[in-house]
Amino acid sequence: MFENLIEILKADSRKIVFPEGPDTRILEAAARLKKDGFLTPVLIGNVEEVKAAAAKGGFDIDGLDILDPATSELMESMVEKMVELRKGKMTPDECRANLLKNNYFGTMLVKMGYADALLGGATYSTADTVRPALQLVKTKKGANLVSSCFVLVRGEEMLVMGDCAINISYEDKKDKEGNVVLTAAQQVAEVAVETAKTAKVFGVDPKVAMLSYSTKGSGKGAGPEMMREATAIVKETHPEIAIDGEMQFDAAVSPVVGQLKFPGSTVAGYANTFIFPEIQSGNIGYKIAARLGGFAAYGPILQGLNAPINDLSRGCNAEEVYQMAIITAALK
């Protein structure tokens, strides 16, 4: 998998921002990326602090850009841009206060084109990585929400699972008058489409199973109905995507069960991309696959933003930072 992603990066030079520049794990990964030469790290933090941490750890970061929000010449132009983006919701002083924080400063570097991607979360919470992205980079044209997926790898086998980290549940969205402007099913359908697109980046030909405790109407309730409706939406709006549902997990992965319940389906029994009805089952599902199935899990990979921005686990190690940097930059 990583060989293919590295080839993408070798063919198109890119920069990735690390907001947590002084962190030892970030520095180790940045030094390795510098040595490999296919992706250029940009480190955010106090220059002397970053250099001292690198020297202490024996990490060669000579020549890499280290940007300090407190002294950057970019600050005033960033403040002006952020005031514009926030459309009167924040004063210039409020914008400056936020941009002095590494996560906001780093995200603005991506927004202004100084860098192509951002990877944070080694010390920041998921919210502190996603919030600046939503405020500054924003969702791409046609996207109604940000979602996530995990790529799971075991030998040559690759699976993709979403959304396991961002959307807690799906509820109809209403305007101030109480009119439904975006149904729960439409939101799940969007997650399915974005996850299928991500799967293709990793070389997976997506066969998308819309998971439920029900298979093809065998169970009743709001959950199965939502997944059934979402399946119909994707089939209508994106007929090029192989998708079926709603279905139970055994129908998704067992050809015997899948073809018994979905005769002739190109997905049932052969699925490699799985969409969960809410975050609880998604988070449990991918971790079962990782812990009991022996899959390596990469993610969460954020979807729906105007630029590649991803979130690390605060328990990550340098190898995971290195790998997620490659994944993030390749998604451009």
Side-chain angles (χ1 to χ4, degrees), residues 58-89:
F59 307 124
D60 177 14
I61 60 168
D62 287 350
L64 295 184
D65 285 347
I66 306 170
L67 303 181
D68 184 350
T71 59
S72 174
E73 296 178 354
L74 298 170
M75 180 57 71
E76 293 310 311
S77 60
M78 284 187 170
V79 170
E80 183 179 343
K81 184 65 175 178
M82 187 170 178
V83 169
E84 174 191 333
L85 291 169
R86 297 302 291 143
K87 298 179 179 179
K89 295 178 181 177

Side-chain angles (χ1 to χ4, degrees), residues 184-261:
Q186 288 173 321
Q187 294 169 59
V188 181
E190 185 173 319
V191 173
V193 170
E194 290 300 318
T195 303
K197 290 178 181 177
T198 301
K200 288 183 178 180
V201 174
F202 288 89
V204 175
D205 181 18
K207 292 179 173 56
V208 184
M210 304 294 277
L211 298 177
S212 174
Y213 59 79
S214 166
T215 299
K216 208 173 183 180
S218 65
K220 306 301 180 184
E225 183 177 345
M226 178 185 70
M227 299 305 278
R228 200 177 306 134
E229 290 179 6
T231 303
I233 291 169
V234 177
K235 285 185 175 183
E236 180 179 352
T237 59
H238 292 79
E240 75 282 3
I241 296 177
I243 186 170
D244 251 327
E246 86 288 8
M247 68 178 72
Q248 293 162 290
F249 191 78
D250 57 348
V253 299
S254 167
V256 173
V257 177
Q259 292 304 304
L260 176 66
K261 296 185 176 183

Side-chain angles (χ1 to χ4, degrees), residues 72 98 123:
S72 174
N98 273 295
T123 58

Side-chain angles (χ1 to χ4, degrees), residues 2-22:
F2 284 99
E3 290 178 1
N4 294 334
L5 298 178
I6 289 170
E7 288 305 313
I8 291 173
L9 297 175
K10 284 181 177 179
D12 182 9
S13 178
R14 299 174 189 180
K15 289 183 178 181
I16 186 166
V17 176
F18 292 104
E20 297 134 321

